[in-house]
Protein backbone atom coordinates (compact mmCIF):
# COMPACT_ATOMS: atom_id res chain seq x y z
CA UNK A 1 0.00 0.00 0.00
CA UNK A 2 1.31 3.47 0.79
CA UNK A 3 3.67 5.00 3.31
CA UNK A 4 1.21 7.83 3.86
CA UNK A 5 -0.65 5.57 6.28
CA UNK A 6 0.54 4.92 9.81
CA UNK A 7 1.04 1.30 10.86
CA UNK A 8 -2.24 1.39 12.81
CA UNK A 9 -4.08 2.84 9.84
CA UNK A 10 -2.62 0.19 7.55
CA UNK A 11 -3.83 -2.51 9.93
CA UNK A 12 -7.35 -1.04 9.78
CA UNK A 13 -7.27 -0.90 5.97
CA UNK A 14 -6.03 -4.51 5.72
CA UNK A 15 -8.70 -5.66 8.17
CA UNK A 16 -11.43 -4.17 5.95
CA UNK A 17 -9.89 -5.63 2.76
CA UNK A 18 -10.32 -9.09 4.32
CA UNK A 19 -14.05 -8.43 4.83
CA UNK A 20 -14.99 -8.21 1.15
CA UNK A 21 -17.01 -11.44 1.01
CA UNK A 22 -18.73 -10.57 4.29
CA UNK A 23 -19.68 -7.13 2.89
CA UNK A 24 -21.19 -8.69 -0.25
CA UNK A 25 -23.12 -11.25 1.83
CA UNK A 26 -24.42 -8.53 4.14
CA UNK A 27 -25.48 -6.44 1.14
CA UNK A 28 -27.27 -9.44 -0.35
CA UNK A 29 -29.21 -9.95 2.87
CA UNK A 30 -30.29 -6.31 3.07
CA UNK A 31 -31.17 -5.95 -0.61
CA UNK A 32 -33.51 -8.94 -0.19
CA UNK A 33 -35.48 -7.01 2.46
CA UNK A 34 -38.05 -4.95 0.50
CA UNK A 35 -37.95 -1.70 2.50
CA UNK A 36 -39.75 0.47 -0.09
CA UNK A 37 -43.08 2.22 0.45
CA UNK A 38 -43.10 2.07 4.23
CA UNK A 39 -43.16 -1.73 4.19
CA UNK A 40 -43.07 -2.09 7.97
CA UNK A 41 -42.01 -5.76 8.41
CA UNK A 42 -38.96 -5.36 6.17
CA UNK A 43 -38.07 -1.98 7.69
CA UNK A 44 -38.30 -3.46 11.19
CA UNK A 45 -36.07 -6.36 10.22
CA UNK A 46 -33.46 -4.19 8.51
CA UNK A 47 -33.47 -1.73 11.43
CA UNK A 48 -33.08 -4.61 13.89
CA UNK A 49 -30.14 -6.13 12.01
CA UNK A 50 -28.20 -2.87 12.00
CA UNK A 51 -29.07 -1.66 15.49
CA UNK A 52 -28.20 -4.98 17.15
CA UNK A 53 -24.70 -4.67 15.68
CA UNK A 54 -24.41 -1.06 16.83
CA UNK A 55 -25.61 -2.13 20.29
CA UNK A 56 -22.93 -4.86 20.30
CA UNK A 57 -20.38 -2.05 19.92
CA UNK A 58 -21.78 -0.46 23.08
CA UNK A 59 -24.16 2.07 21.51
CA UNK A 60 -27.40 2.94 23.27
CA UNK A 61 -30.32 2.52 20.91
CA UNK A 62 -33.59 4.42 21.11
CA UNK A 63 -36.56 4.46 18.75
CA UNK A 64 -38.20 7.81 17.98
CA UNK A 65 -41.77 7.75 16.66
CA UNK A 66 -42.22 9.57 13.38
CA UNK A 67 -43.90 12.99 13.28
CA UNK A 68 -47.00 13.31 11.07
CA UNK A 69 -46.54 14.28 7.42
CA UNK A 70 -48.74 17.08 5.99
CA UNK A 71 -51.70 15.21 4.51
CA UNK A 72 -52.07 17.60 1.56
CA UNK A 73 -48.82 16.39 0.02
CA UNK A 74 -50.36 13.35 -1.59
CA UNK A 75 -53.45 12.83 -3.63
CA UNK A 76 -53.95 9.59 -1.73
CA UNK A 77 -52.34 10.25 1.64
CA UNK A 78 -49.33 8.02 2.21
CA UNK A 79 -49.25 6.54 4.73
CA UNK A 80 -52.99 6.00 4.69
CA UNK A 81 -54.90 7.85 7.45
CA UNK A 82 -54.46 6.03 10.71
CA UNK A 83 -51.25 4.28 9.60
CA UNK A 84 -48.29 4.66 11.92
CA UNK A 85 -45.61 7.00 10.58
CA UNK A 86 -42.27 5.23 10.22
CA UNK A 87 -39.95 5.25 13.19
CA UNK A 88 -36.45 6.64 13.19
CA UNK A 89 -33.85 5.09 15.42
CA UNK A 90 -30.91 6.78 17.11
CA UNK A 91 -27.87 4.89 18.31
CA UNK A 92 -25.30 6.70 20.41
CA UNK A 93 -21.87 5.75 21.68
CA UNK A 94 -20.34 8.33 23.96
CA UNK A 95 -16.66 7.85 24.63
CA UNK A 96 -15.02 9.85 27.38
CA UNK A 97 -12.14 11.92 26.12
CA UNK A 98 -12.77 11.12 22.45
CA UNK A 99 -12.24 14.05 20.11
CA UNK A 100 -14.66 14.87 17.37
CA UNK A 101 -18.26 13.68 17.88
CA UNK A 102 -19.42 12.14 14.62
CA UNK A 103 -23.04 11.74 13.54
CA UNK A 104 -23.63 9.13 10.85
CA UNK A 105 -26.99 9.01 9.13
CA UNK A 106 -28.62 6.79 6.59
CA UNK A 107 -32.02 5.76 5.33
CA UNK A 108 -33.43 2.24 5.37
CA UNK A 109 -36.14 2.91 2.79
CA UNK A 110 -35.86 2.62 -0.98
CA UNK A 111 -38.13 3.80 -3.80
CA UNK A 112 -38.72 0.24 -5.03
CA UNK A 113 -42.08 -1.52 -4.92
CA UNK A 114 -41.91 -4.38 -2.38
CA UNK A 115 -44.24 -6.41 -4.62
CA UNK A 116 -42.28 -5.69 -7.81
CA UNK A 117 -39.98 -8.00 -9.81
CA UNK A 118 -36.75 -6.25 -8.79
CA UNK A 119 -36.09 -8.08 -5.54
CA UNK A 120 -32.57 -9.36 -5.06
CA UNK A 121 -28.87 -8.78 -5.52
CA UNK A 122 -27.69 -10.24 -8.81
CA UNK A 123 -23.93 -10.34 -9.19
CA UNK A 124 -22.52 -10.14 -12.74
CA UNK A 125 -20.38 -13.01 -14.05
CA UNK A 126 -17.15 -11.07 -13.51
CA UNK A 127 -18.07 -10.49 -9.86
CA UNK A 128 -17.42 -6.76 -10.06
CA UNK A 129 -20.88 -5.35 -10.51
CA UNK A 130 -24.26 -6.23 -9.09
CA UNK A 131 -27.81 -4.97 -9.48
CA UNK A 132 -30.54 -4.92 -6.85
CA UNK A 133 -33.16 -2.65 -5.27
CA UNK A 134 -31.40 -0.15 -3.00
CA UNK A 135 -27.97 -1.76 -3.54
CA UNK A 136 -26.41 1.69 -3.95
CA UNK A 137 -29.15 3.96 -2.54
CA UNK A 138 -28.36 3.25 0.17
CA UNK A 139 -28.12 -0.28 1.53
CA UNK A 140 -24.52 -0.46 0.31
CA UNK A 141 -23.77 2.69 2.30
CA UNK A 142 -25.37 1.36 5.48
CA UNK A 143 -23.54 -1.96 5.16
CA UNK A 144 -20.14 -0.27 4.88
CA UNK A 145 -20.89 2.23 7.67
CA UNK A 146 -21.66 -0.48 10.22
CA UNK A 147 -18.69 -2.55 8.98
CA UNK A 148 -16.41 0.48 9.31
CA UNK A 149 -17.48 1.01 12.94
CA UNK A 150 -16.95 -2.69 13.70
CA UNK A 151 -13.54 -2.63 12.02
CA UNK A 152 -12.50 0.43 14.02
CA UNK A 153 -13.52 -1.33 17.23
CA UNK A 154 -11.60 -4.45 16.18
CA UNK A 155 -8.53 -2.30 15.60
CA UNK A 156 -8.79 -0.50 18.92
CA UNK A 157 -10.22 2.84 17.72
CA UNK A 158 -13.25 4.00 19.71
CA UNK A 159 -14.96 6.97 18.10
CA UNK A 160 -17.72 8.93 19.83
CA UNK A 161 -20.48 8.44 17.33
CA UNK A 162 -24.20 8.66 16.78
CA UNK A 163 -26.10 6.90 14.03
CA UNK A 164 -29.58 7.91 12.88
CA UNK A 165 -31.39 5.33 10.75
CA UNK A 166 -34.57 6.76 9.28
CA UNK A 167 -37.19 5.14 7.07
CA UNK A 168 -38.66 8.00 5.05
CA UNK A 169 -35.83 9.79 3.28
CA UNK A 170 -37.12 8.88 -0.17
CA UNK A 171 -40.44 10.57 0.61
CA UNK A 172 -38.90 13.76 2.02
CA UNK A 173 -37.97 12.90 5.65
CA UNK A 174 -41.11 14.62 6.93
CA UNK A 175 -41.44 12.01 9.69
CA UNK A 176 -37.80 12.05 10.77
CA UNK A 177 -36.81 15.70 10.23
CA UNK A 178 -37.23 16.56 13.93
CA UNK A 179 -35.03 13.61 14.92
CA UNK A 180 -32.29 14.54 12.44
CA UNK A 181 -32.25 18.15 13.59
CA UNK A 182 -32.34 17.30 17.30
CA UNK A 183 -29.47 14.81 16.94
CA UNK A 184 -27.43 17.26 14.85
CA UNK A 185 -27.13 19.55 17.87
CA UNK A 186 -25.11 16.98 19.84
CA UNK A 187 -22.34 16.39 17.28
CA UNK A 188 -19.40 18.13 15.60
CA UNK A 189 -19.64 16.68 12.08
CA UNK A 190 -22.19 14.78 10.00
CA UNK A 191 -21.43 11.95 7.57
CA UNK A 192 -24.20 10.60 5.36
CA UNK A 193 -23.99 7.37 3.45
CA UNK A 194 -25.77 8.41 0.25
CA UNK A 195 -24.15 6.89 -2.86
CA UNK A 196 -21.22 8.72 -4.40
CA UNK A 197 -21.59 10.21 -7.85
CA UNK A 198 -20.57 7.59 -10.47
CA UNK A 199 -16.94 8.83 -10.54
CA UNK A 200 -16.75 8.68 -6.73
CA UNK A 201 -17.27 12.44 -6.30
CA UNK A 202 -18.16 13.97 -2.98
CA UNK A 203 -21.02 16.47 -2.89
CA UNK A 204 -20.64 19.35 -0.42
CA UNK A 205 -23.32 21.72 -1.68
CA UNK A 206 -26.98 21.10 -2.47
CA UNK A 207 -30.04 23.17 -3.37
CA UNK A 208 -33.05 23.50 -1.11
CA UNK A 209 -36.25 21.72 -2.07
CA UNK A 210 -39.90 22.43 -1.37
CA UNK A 211 -43.29 20.96 -2.21
CA UNK A 212 -46.36 22.93 -3.21
CA UNK A 213 -50.00 22.31 -4.01
CA UNK A 214 -52.49 24.46 -5.91
CA UNK A 215 -56.23 23.86 -5.37
CA UNK A 216 -58.80 25.60 -7.56
CA UNK A 217 -62.48 25.56 -6.63
CA UNK A 218 -65.07 26.77 -9.16
CA UNK A 219 -68.78 26.54 -9.81
CA UNK A 220 -70.18 23.54 -11.68
CA UNK A 221 -72.72 23.99 -14.46
CA UNK A 222 -74.11 22.08 -17.43
CA UNK A 223 -71.96 23.11 -20.40
CA UNK A 224 -74.92 23.15 -22.82
CA UNK A 225 -77.77 24.53 -20.70
CA UNK A 226 -76.09 26.79 -18.21
CA UNK A 227 -72.54 27.55 -19.37
CA UNK A 228 -72.42 31.19 -18.29
CA UNK A 229 -73.24 30.47 -14.65
CA UNK A 230 -70.28 28.07 -14.35
CA UNK A 231 -66.76 29.07 -13.22
CA UNK A 232 -64.03 26.71 -14.39
CA UNK A 233 -61.62 25.48 -11.74
CA UNK A 234 -59.45 23.92 -14.46
CA UNK A 235 -59.02 27.22 -16.24
CA UNK A 236 -58.03 28.96 -12.98
CA UNK A 237 -55.63 26.14 -12.20
CA UNK A 238 -54.12 26.25 -15.70
CA UNK A 239 -53.29 29.95 -15.28
CA UNK A 240 -51.73 29.24 -11.88
CA UNK A 241 -49.68 26.32 -13.25
CA UNK A 242 -48.29 28.48 -16.05
CA UNK A 243 -47.37 31.18 -13.53
CA UNK A 244 -45.81 28.63 -11.13
CA UNK A 245 -43.70 27.02 -13.85
CA UNK A 246 -42.57 30.48 -14.99
CA UNK A 247 -40.82 30.91 -11.61
CA UNK A 248 -38.13 28.51 -12.83
CA UNK A 249 -34.84 30.17 -13.75
CA UNK A 250 -32.33 27.33 -14.14
CA UNK A 251 -29.46 29.71 -14.90
CA UNK A 252 -29.91 31.09 -11.36
CA UNK A 253 -30.35 27.64 -9.84
CA UNK A 254 -34.11 28.01 -9.50
CA UNK A 255 -36.42 25.20 -10.56
CA UNK A 256 -40.22 25.10 -10.34
CA UNK A 257 -42.23 22.29 -11.84
CA UNK A 258 -45.78 21.06 -11.54
CA UNK A 259 -45.65 17.29 -11.73
CA UNK A 260 -49.17 16.02 -11.02
CA UNK A 261 -52.57 17.40 -12.01
CA UNK A 262 -56.12 16.21 -11.36
CA UNK A 263 -59.53 17.79 -11.91
CA UNK A 264 -62.88 17.93 -13.58
CA UNK A 265 -65.79 15.53 -13.83
CA UNK A 266 -66.90 15.17 -17.46
CA UNK A 267 -66.55 17.10 -20.70
CA UNK A 268 -70.12 18.42 -20.42
CA UNK A 269 -69.65 19.85 -16.91
CA UNK A 270 -67.87 23.11 -16.11
CA UNK A 271 -65.25 21.73 -13.67
CA UNK A 272 -65.80 22.61 -9.98
CA UNK A 273 -62.42 21.43 -8.69
CA UNK A 274 -58.85 20.89 -9.88
CA UNK A 275 -55.54 20.44 -8.08
CA UNK A 276 -51.85 20.39 -8.94
CA UNK A 277 -48.75 19.29 -7.04
CA UNK A 278 -45.25 20.56 -7.71
CA UNK A 279 -41.69 20.87 -6.50
CA UNK A 280 -39.37 23.85 -6.41
CA UNK A 281 -35.64 24.04 -5.80
CA UNK A 282 -33.40 26.97 -4.97
CA UNK A 283 -29.73 27.73 -4.33
CA UNK A 284 -30.08 29.66 -1.04
CA UNK A 285 -32.75 30.45 1.54
CA UNK A 286 -33.56 33.99 0.22
CA UNK A 287 -34.32 32.45 -3.20
CA UNK A 288 -36.55 29.88 -1.51
CA UNK A 289 -38.48 32.57 0.36
CA UNK A 290 -38.88 34.59 -2.85
CA UNK A 291 -40.31 31.67 -4.82
CA UNK A 292 -42.51 30.74 -1.86
CA UNK A 293 -43.94 34.27 -1.70
CA UNK A 294 -44.52 34.32 -5.47
CA UNK A 295 -46.47 31.08 -5.26
CA UNK A 296 -48.63 32.34 -2.39
CA UNK A 297 -49.31 35.49 -4.42
CA UNK A 298 -51.16 33.30 -6.94
CA UNK A 299 -53.95 32.68 -4.40
CA UNK A 300 -57.22 34.53 -4.95
CA UNK A 301 -60.88 34.32 -3.97
CA UNK A 302 -63.80 35.79 -5.89
CA UNK A 303 -67.47 34.83 -6.03
CA UNK A 304 -67.72 31.28 -7.33
CA UNK A 305 -64.00 30.84 -8.00
CA UNK A 306 -60.91 30.62 -5.80
CA UNK A 307 -57.40 29.29 -5.76
CA UNK A 308 -55.54 28.15 -2.62
CA UNK A 309 -51.77 27.62 -2.35
CA UNK A 310 -49.93 25.45 0.13
CA UNK A 311 -46.16 25.06 0.41
CA UNK A 312 -43.65 23.34 2.65
CA UNK A 313 -39.91 24.01 2.43
CA UNK A 314 -38.81 20.62 3.75
CA UNK A 315 -35.18 20.51 2.59
CA UNK A 316 -33.35 23.76 3.36
CA UNK A 317 -30.56 24.74 0.96
CA UNK A 318 -27.12 23.38 1.83
CA UNK A 319 -24.69 26.05 0.66
CA UNK A 320 -20.91 25.71 1.03
CA UNK A 321 -19.62 26.64 4.46
CA UNK A 322 -16.06 26.74 5.79
CA UNK A 323 -16.46 23.87 8.29
CA UNK A 324 -17.93 21.63 5.57
CA UNK A 325 -15.06 22.52 3.23
CA UNK A 326 -12.65 21.56 6.02
CA UNK A 327 -14.44 18.26 6.57
CA UNK A 328 -14.36 17.57 2.82
CA UNK A 329 -10.63 18.37 2.75
CA UNK A 330 -10.07 15.88 5.59
CA UNK A 331 -11.95 13.24 3.59
CA UNK A 332 -9.97 14.12 0.45
CA UNK A 333 -6.67 13.78 2.35
CA UNK A 334 -7.73 10.34 3.59
CA UNK A 335 -8.73 9.35 0.03
CA UNK A 336 -5.42 10.58 -1.35
CA UNK A 337 -3.52 8.54 1.22
CA UNK A 338 -5.51 5.49 0.14
CA UNK A 339 -4.74 6.17 -3.52
CA UNK A 340 -8.41 6.88 -4.27
CA UNK A 341 -9.61 9.88 -6.27
CA UNK A 342 -12.21 11.97 -4.41
CA UNK A 343 -13.13 14.98 -6.54
CA UNK A 344 -15.86 17.41 -5.50
CA UNK A 345 -19.03 17.18 -7.58
CA UNK A 346 -22.31 18.98 -8.04
CA UNK A 347 -25.86 17.63 -7.90
CA UNK A 348 -29.36 19.07 -8.00
CA UNK A 349 -30.51 16.33 -5.64
CA UNK A 350 -31.32 16.79 -1.97
CA UNK A 351 -30.94 14.49 1.04
CA UNK A 352 -30.83 14.39 4.83
CA UNK A 353 -27.53 16.28 4.65
CA UNK A 354 -29.68 19.35 3.92
CA UNK A 355 -31.55 18.84 7.20
CA UNK A 356 -28.46 18.16 9.32
CA UNK A 357 -26.56 21.15 8.01
CA UNK A 358 -29.63 23.38 8.42
CA UNK A 359 -29.36 22.54 12.12
CA UNK A 360 -25.78 23.83 12.06
CA UNK A 361 -23.90 20.54 11.63
CA UNK A 362 -21.18 20.60 8.94
CA UNK A 363 -22.07 17.57 6.83
CA UNK A 364 -20.75 15.66 3.83
CA UNK A 365 -23.29 13.34 2.37
CA UNK A 366 -22.08 11.12 -0.44
CA UNK A 367 -19.74 8.82 1.45
CA UNK A 368 -21.59 5.68 0.33
CA UNK A 369 -20.75 3.25 -2.43
CA UNK A 370 -20.28 3.95 -6.14
CA UNK A 371 -23.16 2.94 -8.34
CA UNK A 372 -25.83 4.21 -10.67
CA UNK A 373 -29.28 3.72 -12.14
CA UNK A 374 -30.64 4.99 -8.83
CA UNK A 375 -34.43 4.79 -8.42
CA UNK A 376 -34.73 2.51 -11.48
CA UNK A 377 -34.89 -1.28 -11.96
CA UNK A 378 -31.32 -1.02 -13.31
CA UNK A 379 -29.86 0.21 -10.01
CA UNK A 380 -26.28 -1.10 -9.76
CA UNK A 381 -23.29 -1.08 -7.45
CA UNK A 382 -19.59 -1.35 -8.16
CA UNK A 383 -18.79 -4.15 -5.70
CA UNK A 384 -15.14 -3.12 -5.35
CA UNK A 385 -16.44 0.13 -3.89
CA UNK A 386 -17.75 -1.75 -0.83
CA UNK A 387 -14.19 -2.26 0.40
CA UNK A 388 -12.78 1.00 -0.97
CA UNK A 389 -15.46 3.24 0.49
CA UNK A 390 -15.54 1.31 3.78
CA UNK A 391 -11.79 1.90 4.06
CA UNK A 392 -12.22 5.58 3.28
CA UNK A 393 -14.98 6.02 5.86
CA UNK A 394 -13.09 4.11 8.55
CA UNK A 395 -9.90 6.08 7.94
CA UNK A 396 -11.82 9.35 8.00
CA UNK A 397 -13.51 8.44 11.30
CA UNK A 398 -10.19 7.30 12.78
CA UNK A 399 -8.51 10.58 11.86
CA UNK A 400 -11.43 12.72 13.04
CA UNK A 401 -11.33 10.84 16.34
CA UNK A 402 -7.58 11.25 16.75
CA UNK A 403 -7.04 14.73 15.34
CA UNK A 404 -10.44 16.39 15.13
CA UNK A 405 -11.34 18.63 12.24
CA UNK A 406 -8.31 20.51 10.96
ZN1 LIG B 1 -30.69 7.81 -0.88
Amino acid sequence: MTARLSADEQRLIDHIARRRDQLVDDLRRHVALPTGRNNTPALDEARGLFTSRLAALGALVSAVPGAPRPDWLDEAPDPAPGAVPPTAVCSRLSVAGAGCRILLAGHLDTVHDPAGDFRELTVAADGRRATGPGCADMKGGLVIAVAALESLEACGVRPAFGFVLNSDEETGSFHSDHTLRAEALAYDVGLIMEPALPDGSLVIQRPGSAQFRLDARGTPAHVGRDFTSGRSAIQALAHAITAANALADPARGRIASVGVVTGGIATNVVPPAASAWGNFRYPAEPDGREIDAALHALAFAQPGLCLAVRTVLNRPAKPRMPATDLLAATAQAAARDLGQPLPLGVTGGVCDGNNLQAAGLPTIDTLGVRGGGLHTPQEWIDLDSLVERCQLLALLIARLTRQGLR
Side-chain angles (χ1 to χ4, degrees):
M1 278 277 220
T2 159
R4 292 169 184 266
L5 300 177
S6 71
D8 283 349
E9 288 175 344
Q10 188 64 55
R11 210 155 54 85
L12 174 66
I13 295 315
D14 293 344
H15 176 93
I16 292 169
R18 289 192 296 272
R19 289 185 70 147
R20 188 182 196 275
D21 290 348
Q22 219 177 320
L23 289 168
V24 175
D25 287 346
D26 199 21
L27 181 64
R28 183 176 287 112
R29 185 172 188 186
H30 278 282
V31 167
L33 294 174
T35 54
R37 307 200 180 169
N38 198 18
N39 183 23
T40 306
L43 283 169
D44 287 347
E45 188 173 346
R47 193 184 297 116
L49 287 170
F50 285 126
T51 51
S52 61
R53 287 168 63 185
L54 296 170
L57 294 174
L60 293 173
V61 178
S62 55
V64 186
R69 171 185 163 98
D71 62 2
W72 57 263
L73 285 167
D74 308 287
E75 199 185 337
D78 179 25
V84 179
T87 302
V89 57
C90 303
S91 307
R92 298 184 195 85
L93 182 67
S94 307
V95 177
C100 192
R101 296 163 302 170
I102 300 161
L103 180 60
L104 294 137
H107 62 86
L108 297 163
D109 58 321
T110 73
V111 300
H112 300 282
D113 181 357
D117 296 334
F118 192 42
R119 301 193 70 100
E120 57 187 32
L121 193 75
T122 306
V123 179
D126 65 4
R128 302 199 61 180
R129 244 196 203 216
T131 55
C135 63
D137 186 11
M138 66 181 317
K139 296 178 186 232
L142 295 175
V143 162
I144 63 169
V146 175
L149 293 168
E150 289 173 343
S151 300
L152 287 160
E153 168 84 12
C155 294
V157 184
R158 298 211 86 204
F161 74 84
F163 206 141
V164 177
L165 289 163
N166 63 351
S167 308
D168 66 329
E169 193 276 342
E170 297 290 7
T171 48
S173 301
F174 288 94
H175 304 297
S176 55
D177 176 53
H178 67 299
T179 304
L180 292 164
R181 289 174 187 253
E183 286 298 295
L185 301 177
Y187 295 87
D188 300 310
V189 299
L191 306 177
I192 296 195
M193 304 311 298
E194 289 290 349
L197 300 187
D199 64 352
S201 286
L202 196 62
V203 176
I204 55 172
Q205 183 181 6
R206 291 179 182 269
S209 174
Q211 308 294 324
F212 64 93
R213 174 172 171 165
L214 311 171
D215 290 295
R217 293 290 175 268
T219 305
H222 188 292
V223 167
R225 291 181 169 216
D226 203 17
F227 178 68
T228 54
S229 63
R231 308 295 306 276
S232 169
I234 288 182
Q235 191 166 349
L237 184 69
H239 282 300
I241 289 173
T242 306
N245 282 350
L247 297 171
D249 187 350
R252 293 170 65 205
R254 296 179 174 199
I255 291 168
S257 179
V258 168
V260 176
V261 175
T262 68
I265 296 168
T267 55
N268 60 356
V269 182
V270 175
S275 299
W277 289 259
N279 175 247
F280 69 89
R281 297 185 184 220
Y282 49 92
E285 289 310 294
D287 302 86
R289 286 194 292 272
E290 211 176 289
I291 297 171
D292 190 48
L295 282 170
H296 282 281
L298 298 175
F300 70 87
Q302 49 182 245
L305 191 65
C306 65
L307 184 98
V309 178
R310 283 178 281 194
T311 60
V312 58
L313 284 69
N314 59 307
R315 298 277 198 209
K318 183 176 183 288
R320 284 188 83 142
M321 61 184 231
T324 308
D325 284 355
L326 197 56
L327 178 58
T330 307
Q332 284 184 302
R336 195 173 51 242
D337 293 348
L338 290 168
Q340 299 178 13
L342 191 65
L344 299 182
V346 176
T347 174
V350 294
C351 75
D352 288 335
N354 292 64
N355 306 52
L356 292 186
Q357 194 158 298
L361 187 68
T363 300
I364 51 178
D365 53 35
T366 43
L367 284 165
V369 296
R370 284 192 308 277
L374 309 182
H375 297 193
T376 77
Q378 286 81 41
E379 181 173 352
W380 60 273
I381 176 175
D382 173 347
L383 289 174
D384 289 341
S385 74
L386 284 170
V387 166
E388 286 169 23
R389 303 291 286 197
C390 186
Q391 290 172 328
L392 173 60
L393 179 68
L395 183 59
L396 175 60
I397 293 174
R399 289 186 175 178
L400 287 169
T401 299
R402 204 175 59 239
Q403 307 162 3
L405 196 55
R406 65 179 195 197

